[in-house]
Amino acid sequence: MNILVTGAAGFIGSHVCEALLPHHHVIGVDSFIGPTPKRWKEKTIDTLNKHDRFTWIEGDLLSLPLVDIIKQVDVVYHLAGMPGVRTSWGTAFHLYTTNNIVATQRLLEACKQHRPTQFIYTSTSSVYGEKDGRIAEHMTPTPLSPYGITKLAGEHLCRVYHSEFDVPTTILRYFTVYGPRQRPDMAFHRFIRHMLFDEPITIFGDGTQTRDFTYISDCVNGTLAVLGNEKAIGETFNIGGKERASLNDVIAMLEEMIGKRANKRYMNKAIGEPKHTWADISKAERLLSYNPTTPLQEGLRHEVQYIRSLYGRS
């Protein structure tokens, strides 16, 4: 099977490629946008390029000949996009509209002409906004940030191309994914890096905010569970973990693992971010046999090891 993965050099996209390659031919596309240094992404692509089933295309979904690319594939995993809640305000908003909305529409338009058997769009828990208790897929999305709004717009595009043109779309909403290759702007990466270099940790808010943390291998397993699953067509799924924790709890775990006390600096709460997230994954469990298994402490150890290696702090 030929599978297109957009955002192939990114955190989640590169892991998805690795998981697909033993059994499928993967065409990876990326334009190296976002906060992760290009040299890191290039190193990731160099590793993927060692596999004879991997074909690399460096380019922008806004200008690539997508119809020609879609002709060659059976399935599309659309992970490319402009990430980040805090940076989506102000003058950078055009980067979010073009890379999260316009690029998605171009890709769906190409799929309208040459329909793949599946089009999987990766969205985010940021579309939900602030909710009480477990968050289920049927709840009305009320995003709190421009980033969340653009990802929700991509979801709506998937739904209308499914209903009007039979593009076989599936939407996956990720909840705070972490692990090796996590972006440097994300909380765990920042916390670990600053602790290793004895630098202050900036915490937005009082640190009691909780997240439903999802380890990368569990996220990938949920993502691949959609492949070839006809029950997933036209559906939306939460891909979350089974272990919630506050940021203060996470920092305490990292202090024990790294053997240092964190120099914590609390700042004003960041706008656009909910106080709590908690995924109801019962639908994914039922229809995808999704079963996240990695405990938070184990996943954190893997990320600490990776970041030690990345910055030469072994």
Side-chain angles (χ1 to χ4, degrees):
M1 186 181 291
N2 294 330
I3 300 176
L4 172 66
V5 178
T6 72
F11 169 37
I12 302 175
S14 62
H15 283 278
V16 168
C17 288
E18 287 176 343
L20 290 169
L21 280 169
H23 306 289
H24 306 284
H25 176 242
V26 175
I27 299 174
V29 173
D30 207 297
S31 63
F32 299 121
I33 63 168
T36 302
K38 184 178 180 181
R39 67 183 184 278
W40 294 359
K41 290 187 173 184
E42 288 176 332
K43 185 176 180 180
T44 298
I45 292 301
D46 287 344
T47 301
L48 291 172
N49 265 327
K50 293 175 182 176
H51 204 295
D52 58 7
R53 289 197 182 101
F54 186 72
T55 299
W56 166 238
I57 301 174
E58 181 178 349
D60 196 321
L61 296 177
L62 299 167
S63 57
L64 284 170
L66 296 182
V67 171
D68 293 337
I69 295 171
I70 294 298
K71 285 179 183 178
Q72 305 173 48
V73 303
D74 305 295
V75 172
V76 177
Y77 273 105
H78 181 33
L79 291 101
M82 189 68 186
V85 168
R86 295 179 200 134
T87 51
S88 65
W89 303 93
T91 57
F93 182 59
H94 73 282
L95 297 173
Y96 289 80
T97 56
T98 54
N99 290 290
N100 296 350
I101 301 176
V102 178
T104 299
Q105 190 272 342
R106 284 198 79 231
L107 197 55
L108 286 164
E109 193 68 19
C111 291
K112 181 185 77 173
Q113 297 183 50
H114 299 280
R115 274 196 298 276
T117 58
Q118 286 182 282
F119 182 100
I120 298 105
Y121 173 78
T122 57
S123 188
T124 168
S125 60
S126 292
V127 302
Y128 286 115
E130 193 72 69
K131 296 284 189 290
D132 293 326
R134 288 187 182 275
I135 304 171
E137 292 89 348
H138 68 269
M139 292 181 174
T140 302
T142 53
L144 302 175
S145 67
Y147 165 69
I149 289 168
T150 59
K151 293 300 290 184
L152 182 59
E155 289 191 14
H156 287 312
L157 284 167
C158 288
R159 293 190 184 98
V160 295
Y161 274 83
H162 174 62
S163 63
E164 298 301 324
F165 304 110
D166 294 321
V167 176
T169 60
T170 300
I171 295 164
L172 303 179
R173 291 172 175 164
Y174 293 151
F175 281 70
T176 315
V177 184
Y178 73 101
R181 280 180 280 196
Q182 189 186 45
R183 299 194 324 266
D185 63 310
M186 296 183 76
F188 287 6
H189 191 130
R190 288 191 298 106
F191 292 168
I192 297 167
R193 181 180 75 241
H194 291 318
M195 290 177 69
L196 291 175
F197 284 89
D198 298 309
E199 296 171 350
I201 288 176
T202 299
I203 303 164
F204 296 97
D206 60 8
T208 62
Q209 59 266 46
T210 62
R211 292 290 180 268
D212 193 343
F213 296 111
T214 313
Y215 188 63
I216 182 62
S217 62
D218 290 325
C219 173
V220 170
N221 288 340
T223 302
L224 266 61
V226 175
L227 188 62
N229 190 333
E230 292 185 2
K231 295 177 182 177
I233 304 300
E235 298 290 343
T236 300
F237 297 96
N238 289 337
I239 302 297
K242 285 187 175 178
E243 193 171 353
R244 296 168 71 220
S246 72
L247 292 188
N248 287 333
D249 291 336
V250 169
I251 292 170
M253 293 180 197
L254 292 174
E255 288 177 328
E256 183 176 348
M257 291 176 194
I258 296 172
K260 293 182 179 181
R261 296 285 294 176
N263 179 6
K264 294 177 281 190
R265 293 188 179 178
Y266 292 93
M267 308 289 286
N268 291 334
K269 177 185 179 296
I271 58 173
E273 296 184 351
K275 179 74 173 178
H276 305 288
T277 64
W278 189 9
D280 181 344
I281 60 172
S282 57
K283 182 177 178 181
E285 289 174 325
R286 187 176 70 256
L287 297 181
L288 304 179
S289 298
Y290 175 58
N291 181 33
T293 59
T294 307
L296 181 57
Q297 284 211 351
E298 179 184 333
L300 282 173
R301 285 192 193 96
H302 291 313
E303 184 157 359
V304 168
Q305 290 170 359
Y306 166 76
I307 293 178
R308 281 186 184 276
S309 173
L310 184 66
Y311 293 102
R313 289 277 164 161
S314 57

